[in-house]
């Protein structure tokens, strides 16, 4: 695929550059696209990188380094840029972990996915990406990402994004203390970190309606002990006793998850053992929630930073959605209590 001479952006050959990323950010802010050849190059490079990573990536925070954990960003590109403005862009000493749901709902999902992927290609150990329940085909067909790929690029771009999503790790273990996964815990108390390590995610491209992968992407905490049915129509809810047992059995201090709006951007539940972080403020332009992210240094202490939404061009959320709800899945896949503006 040739890039025609009239293309006015920075070009790349066989490797990503910071110059290309800086130019791409400005293009996206101004409503412009990058050339389709570069889209394919970025996705292919990152698919190969994440495919080679384990199902549960295990990382630490070295001296003079830091790590930032972000929750759902859901196509809110200008709010992602606000995170980077407040907290710094990814560097060799400042890594980011994005805990799924980069896409759908917001109308700049391709921009978010391409920016995160470009940084992953530039600095493979400077950005880590967990899969969320919206990095899946059935959700993308309904909540806007497939339609956005078609409108801005073409159907093939969606298909290669889909392949890359199915290659993403499902969890990240930070310093043997915090398990970060998009949804939450399991229907079986016997599940251990080793079960996650052994899960071959490459044999199952989509999470389906049951099993370990589905539970990691879809479950939610509840205040009552034990387990309960999910309000979403898929997955389940788990109580503080479930979280306590899992953390004790696996030597963890807490789990960090996303998947649900929190009005203050984050919430610490289950006696401090279950932490939800959500990084899409003013979600879908219809909820007056703040966003948050978690800063972690070498001592592995958690510092929460809350931020507000920033202005964006007047394009409505879910402008590319189809509205056809997959069987067995409730309409509002990120929180049972939030309705998105169509």
């Amino acid at each position: 695929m040739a890039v025609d001479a009239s293309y006015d952006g920075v070009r790349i050959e066989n490797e990503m550059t910071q110059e290309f990323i800086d130019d791409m950010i400005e293009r996206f802010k101004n409503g412009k696209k990058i050339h389709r050849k570069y889209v394919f190059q970025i996705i292919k490079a990152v698919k190969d990188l994440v495919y080679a990573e384990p199902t549960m990536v295990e990382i630490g925070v070295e001296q003079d380094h830091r790590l930032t954990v972000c929750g759902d960003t859901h196509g809110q590109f200008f709010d992602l840029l606000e995170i980077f403005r407040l907290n710094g862009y990814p560097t060799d000493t400042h890594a980011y972990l994005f805990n799924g749901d980069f896409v759908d709902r917001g109308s700049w999902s391709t921009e978010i996915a391409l920016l995160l992927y470009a940084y992953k290609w530039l600095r493979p150990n400077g950005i880590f990406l967990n899969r969320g329940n919206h990095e899946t085909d059935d959700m993308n067909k309904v909540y806007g990402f497939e339609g956005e790929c078609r409108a801005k690029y073409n159907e093939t771009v969606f298909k290669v994004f889909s392949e890359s999503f199915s290659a993403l790790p499902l969890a990240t273990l930070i310093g043997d203390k915090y398990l970060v996964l998009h949804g939450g815990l399991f229907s079986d108390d016997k599940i251990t970190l080793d079960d996650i390590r052994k899960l071959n995610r490459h044999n199952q491209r989509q999470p389906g309606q049951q099993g370990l992968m589905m539970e990691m992407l879809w479950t939610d905490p509840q205040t009552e002990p034990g387990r309960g049915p999910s309000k979403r129509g898929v997955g389940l809810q788990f109580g503080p006793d479930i979280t306590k047992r899992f953390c004790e059995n696996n030597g963890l201090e807490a789990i960090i998850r996303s998947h649900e709006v929190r009005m203050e951007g984050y919430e610490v539940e289950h006696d401090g053992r279950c932490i939800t972080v959500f990084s899409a403020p003013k979600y879908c332009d219809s909820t007056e929630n703040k966003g948050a992210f978690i800063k972690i240094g070498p001592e592995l202490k958690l510092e929460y930073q809350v931020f507000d939404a920033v202005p964006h061009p007047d394009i409505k959320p879910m402008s590319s959605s189809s509205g056809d709800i997959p069987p067995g899945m409730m309409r509002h896949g990120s929180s049972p209590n939030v309705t998105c503006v169509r």
Side-chain angles (χ1 to χ4, degrees):
M1 187 183 298
V3 179
D4 49 277
S6 63
Y7 182 70
D8 62 352
V10 171
R11 297 167 182 248
I12 50 173
E13 296 301 328
N14 297 315
E15 60 184 32
M16 181 53 62
T17 66
Q18 187 65 55
E19 182 189 18
F20 182 89
I21 292 176
D22 294 342
D23 179 70
M24 180 172 69
I25 290 171
E26 290 305 310
R27 295 180 73 81
F28 290 165
K29 284 164 65 175
N30 294 320
K32 299 169 80 172
K33 297 177 288 187
I34 60 172
H35 195 279
R36 199 161 65 235
K37 176 179 180 176
Y38 300 143
V39 174
F40 287 126
Q41 275 186 280
I42 291 168
I43 301 170
K44 171 67 166 64
V46 172
K47 184 204 166 184
D48 292 344
L49 284 170
V50 298
Y51 190 96
E53 291 180 332
T55 296
M56 183 176 75
V57 175
E58 302 185 42
I59 58 176
V61 185
E62 299 174 18
Q63 288 301 319
D64 301 318
H65 286 60
R66 57 193 177 117
L67 172 69
T68 297
V69 179
C70 297
D72 303 30
T73 50
H74 272 308
Q76 296 184 197
F77 177 71
F78 293 87
D79 296 315
L80 173 63
L81 295 185
E82 177 70 356
I83 294 174
F84 290 147
R85 186 189 74 80
L86 292 168
N87 194 52
Y89 285 82
T91 68
D92 291 336
T93 58
H94 179 194
Y96 275 83
L97 166 58
F98 286 86
N99 193 28
D101 283 15
F102 331 121
V103 302
D104 281 341
R105 300 191 184 280
S107 293
W108 293 271
S109 292
T110 56
E111 287 82 358
I112 282 193
L114 288 169
L115 179 55
L116 296 182
Y117 274 24
Y119 266 116
K120 180 68 176 176
W121 187 8
L122 181 67
R123 293 189 173 90
N125 294 316
I127 190 164
F128 298 94
L129 304 169
N130 284 346
R131 190 178 190 178
N133 68 306
H134 277 266
E135 279 72 53
T136 56
D137 287 355
D138 48 11
M139 304 303 279
N140 294 159
K141 290 178 187 302
V142 178
Y143 292 100
F145 185 59
E146 182 181 25
E148 186 182 326
C149 286
R150 279 202 310 265
K152 293 178 179 175
Y153 296 102
N154 62 20
E155 177 71 23
T156 308
V157 166
F158 171 68
K159 289 178 178 175
V160 294
F161 260 127
S162 170
E163 289 181 16
S164 74
F165 289 166
S166 69
L168 289 169
L170 302 179
T172 303
L173 182 64
I174 301 173
D176 295 322
K177 288 182 75 170
Y178 305 107
L179 177 67
V180 186
L181 72 174
H182 181 72
L185 296 180
F186 308 99
S187 55
D188 185 346
D189 277 340
K190 298 187 181 70
I191 298 298
T192 66
L193 295 180
D194 270 343
D195 292 308
I196 301 174
R197 289 185 181 100
K198 293 172 187 171
L199 177 63
N200 187 344
R201 69 193 190 279
H202 302 312
N203 286 343
Q204 183 184 348
R205 292 191 70 249
Q206 302 299 320
Q209 297 284 312
Q210 59 185 7
L212 215 57
M213 183 190 294
M214 180 280 290
E215 292 177 354
M216 293 173 73
L217 300 186
W218 277 94
T219 60
D220 298 296
Q222 64 181 23
T223 55
E224 302 81 15
R227 295 178 174 89
S230 173
K231 300 182 182 73
R232 301 172 186 272
V234 62
L236 55 94
Q237 297 185 170
F238 57 94
D241 54 329
I242 306 300
T243 305
K244 181 175 187 285
R245 270 198 301 276
F246 181 82
C247 287
E248 288 176 348
N249 290 345
N250 291 280
L252 297 172
E253 193 163 305
I255 66 164
I256 299 173
R257 41 91 60 182
S258 302
H259 194 41
E260 290 180 291
V261 175
R262 291 294 188 262
M263 293 308 292
E264 292 304 312
Y266 75 97
E267 186 174 2
V268 181
E269 303 169 83
H270 292 185
D271 301 312
R273 293 187 179 93
C274 180
I275 298 155
T276 299
V277 59
F278 192 82
S279 303
K282 203 172 183 184
Y283 180 47
C284 293
D285 288 350
S286 62
T287 308
E288 295 302 323
N289 65 293
K290 296 182 181 299
F293 49 88
I294 305 173
K295 299 190 282 190
I296 307 176
E299 304 81 17
L300 300 182
K301 302 298 182 189
L302 307 183
E303 180 186 344
Y304 304 95
Q305 184 163 342
V306 174
F307 68 102
D308 292 313
V310 295
H312 61 73
D314 188 19
I315 301 174
K316 298 303 181 193
M318 298 180 64
S319 57
S320 301
S321 66
S322 73
D324 300 321
I325 306 303
M329 292 185 183
M330 64 167 293
R331 186 173 220 93
H332 309 301
S334 277
S335 172
N337 303 313
V338 171
T339 300
C340 274
V341 177
R342 283 295 170 118

